[in-house]
Amino acid sequence: MLDATSSTTVRQAPPPPPPPPSLEPAKDAVNTVHKAMESGFFNPITNGDVKNAVGALKGLDATNAKAAISELAKDGGLDKLASEINDGKSFGLGGLSADEKRDFFTEMAKDLGGTELKSLSDAFAKAGGDYHGKADVEALGKAIATHATPDAKLDYVKAQAGSTLDHAADTTSPFTLGGSIRVTSHGDAEAAAVGQVLASLKGNPAVAEQAFKALSPDQLRGVLSASIHREEIDTTTVSMGGAAHSNSTSLDTSTYKAILEAGAQSTDADFKAKLFAEGSAVLKDVPQQNLLLGVSVMDRDAATRTMADGLTTVLKSDVSGVMRELSFNLETRDGTAFATYAKQMLNDKQTEPLADMMQQLQVGGTKNENPINRFEAIEKVTLPNGDKVDRYENATALGHYVGGVQAAAASITTDRKEQAELLTAVLKSGLTIVDKAGWGGKGVGAAAAVAKEWVSIGTNAALKAIQDDPSAAGKALDLMAVPTNSKTGEEAVGSNSKSAYNTALDTVVRQAKP
């Protein structure tokens, strides 16, 4: 038998926590930067001094790099360093080359957090003078998008959110003989940088959603606007014969599209509707060609098609959900957002995606639902006074869609026959989709077959209506959208659901301004 003493377990105290990391390297780096930035009449700052300062920061680990940048931001040393990095003097007195600066941004993006990256960006914005450091701010944003951790990206977006609307455009006037040149770069520098970071979050939906929701609607629009990289060059040439003026605009919308693709990862239909609306507003603002006034927009068709592709990605991620929110939200229920998009799609002859969306609104995303049941589906909603009422969300969303396509066609042309041709293209694309294999997904059963039959009947009836009367484009879309009893020729829906559909449709037709 064991005695009490021998059976007692001796508990050992847990090991002490590790000591905090030493910040001496950060202090040494700060001192190196300060010493390198000292100057006088007989002691100018040299290229070697700048490289020593930058090298001291690049040699730090992440913890010390954050501490050093934070301290330099407080004491003004970071502003001084950014200015000297950009110094264009020669004879060994200049700053860093473009490649050297890019390497510096890369190392900082790997090590710093969002707050410190914001401080570094601000320093280079100040160093940029009248142009607000746009090239450097965007270059740093690109480095963050490529090399920073997801948490650092999120914190950077949060830190920069309030700076995304500071400068709608920056203008410079390079010297030229025999006339003048004015270059205007549209979009805020910080907004463009944030856009690159948001675009890089595709594949990380959780962080992307937090980053997007850190921006207000106005800030989000500012980011999307800056991401099309719109630059205008106004040129006036003076000769013996007088003065000639021209304006050319260049666009690059690839980042815009990537931002929308990152946002489309969200499962929040309301957020995606707001993202779609802000993106649509930016699309609407792209300048038109006007060669008679000397205005040329380089690659406008390609740029706006890319923008429409991005908006399509947002819609296709949840057609029913996003269209439902567009049709009920105060900011979008007038239909301008969707009609602007539909107008671009019609102009681009991208009718198949439009037709596919309508079919999803009719018979569900998997295209195997009964269209009558969907049209008549009721959602119980609670009003501000506490009353619970019925709402026909599917019927309303479908009406919003039909009204948007009608408004889009009417904004392209006032000729009824030409409007009918535009809508006929959508209807024919719908039949093409119906005829393709795979309708309703794998293992198509009776439900999908019924849905396919309903869509075919409605589409063929719509095409016949346009053929009989080319001015009846609105009637044709109605025949396609609203289920009809093929045996009796009567509408196969109730009065309440049809009223919800008509109200949404009429609202868009009357109010949308694509």
Side-chain angles (χ1 to χ4, degrees), residues 278-358:
E278 300 305 337
S280 178
V282 174
L283 171 62
K284 184 181 176 183
D285 286 343
V286 173
Q288 298 286 338
Q289 294 271 20
N290 193 332
L291 298 180
L292 291 176
L293 297 179
V295 179
S296 61
V297 182
M298 310 301 291
D299 299 324
R300 185 188 191 280
D301 291 346
T304 51
R305 180 185 286 263
T306 298
M307 295 173 78
D309 287 345
L311 292 168
T312 297
T313 301
V314 176
L315 276 177
K316 288 182 68 175
S317 68
D318 181 6
V319 173
S320 295
V322 175
M323 289 299 298
R324 178 187 67 238
E325 297 299 331
L326 288 174
S327 63
F328 282 103
N329 286 346
L330 175 64
E331 301 87 354
T332 55
R333 66 188 181 204
D334 72 344
T336 297
F338 179 72
T340 297
Y341 162 78
K343 179 180 180 179
Q344 185 63 47
M345 295 293 280
L346 290 175
N347 277 328
D348 289 341
K349 297 181 172 51
Q350 294 289 304
T351 53
E352 187 165 315
L354 281 177
D356 180 69
M357 289 171 197
M358 185 171 188

Side-chain angles (χ1 to χ4, degrees), residues 24 41 80 105 187 205 247 263 268 283 365 375 411 450 456-457 474 495:
E24 286 303 315
F41 184 77
K80 177 67 173 174
F105 286 166
N247 173 288
D268 184 341
L283 171 62
F375 201 94
S411 71
V450 169
S456 298
I457 291 171
S495 299

Side-chain angles (χ1 to χ4, degrees), residues 165-189:
L165 299 173
D166 292 344
H167 305 287
D170 290 300
T171 301
T172 58
S173 299
F175 174 77
T176 182
L177 292 172
S180 65
I181 295 177
R182 185 178 66 182
V183 180
T184 302
S185 177
H186 289 267
D188 184 86

Side-chain angles (χ1 to χ4, degrees), residues 176-443:
T176 182
L177 292 172
S180 65
I181 295 177
R182 185 178 66 182
V183 180
T184 302
S185 177
H186 289 267
D188 184 86
E190 284 77 12
V194 166
Q196 293 187 75
V197 174
L198 289 176
S200 75
L201 292 173
K202 183 180 179 181
N204 195 332
V207 175
E209 183 147 351
Q210 294 179 69
F212 275 102
K213 291 184 177 180
L215 302 171
S216 71
D218 286 345
Q219 290 166 351
L220 179 55
R221 185 179 299 190
V223 168
L224 287 166
S225 182
S227 72
I228 69 174
H229 302 288
R230 175 182 161 195
E231 186 175 87
E232 293 177 356
I233 301 178
D234 288 285
T235 304
T236 300
T237 305
V238 179
S239 65
M240 295 293 290
H245 178 76
S246 66
N247 173 288
S248 65
T249 299
S250 62
L251 302 164
D252 179 355
T253 56
S254 56
T255 303
Y256 168 99
K257 179 184 177 185
I259 292 170
L260 294 178
E261 289 173 342
Q265 300 172 114
S266 172
T267 57
D268 184 341
D270 183 58
F271 158 71
K272 288 192 285 191
K274 291 172 181 175
L275 174 64
F276 178 89
E278 300 305 337
S280 178
V282 174
L283 171 62
K284 184 181 176 183
D285 286 343
V286 173
Q288 298 286 338
Q289 294 271 20
N290 193 332
L291 298 180
L292 291 176
L293 297 179
V295 179
S296 61
V297 182
M298 310 301 291
D299 299 324
R300 185 188 191 280
D301 291 346
T304 51
R305 180 185 286 263
T306 298
M307 295 173 78
D309 287 345
L311 292 168
T312 297
T313 301
V314 176
L315 276 177
K316 288 182 68 175
S317 68
D318 181 6
V319 173
S320 295
V322 175
M323 289 299 298
R324 178 187 67 238
E325 297 299 331
L326 288 174
S327 63
F328 282 103
N329 286 346
L330 175 64
E331 301 87 354
T332 55
R333 66 188 181 204
D334 72 344
T336 297
F338 179 72
T340 297
Y341 162 78
K343 179 180 180 179
Q344 185 63 47
M345 295 293 280
L346 290 175
N347 277 328
D348 289 341
K349 297 181 172 51
Q350 294 289 304
T351 53
E352 187 165 315
L354 281 177
D356 180 69
M357 289 171 197
M358 185 171 188
Q359 291 174 2
Q360 290 193 49
L361 292 172
Q362 292 174 291
V363 292
T366 54
K367 297 185 180 179
N368 60 2
E369 297 181 42
N370 184 295
I372 299 175
N373 294 342
R374 271 188 66 85
F375 201 94
E376 292 292 334
I378 294 173
E379 293 290 330
K380 289 286 186 182
V381 296
T382 303
L383 300 180
N385 64 1
D387 290 348
K388 292 185 180 298
V389 297
D390 295 341
R391 195 159 76 175
Y392 294 88
E393 294 189 346
N394 293 335
T396 300
L398 190 55
H400 189 88
Y401 170 94
V402 172
V405 174
Q406 283 189 39
S411 71
I412 293 172
T413 176
T414 57
D415 186 291
R416 291 296 185 89
K417 183 177 180 181
E418 292 176 355
Q419 290 178 21
E421 290 173 353
L422 291 170
L423 300 182
T424 297
V426 177
L427 296 171
K428 288 183 176 179
S429 290
L431 284 181
T432 300
I433 295 171
V434 169
D435 292 338
K436 286 181 178 178
W439 172 283
K442 295 181 179 179

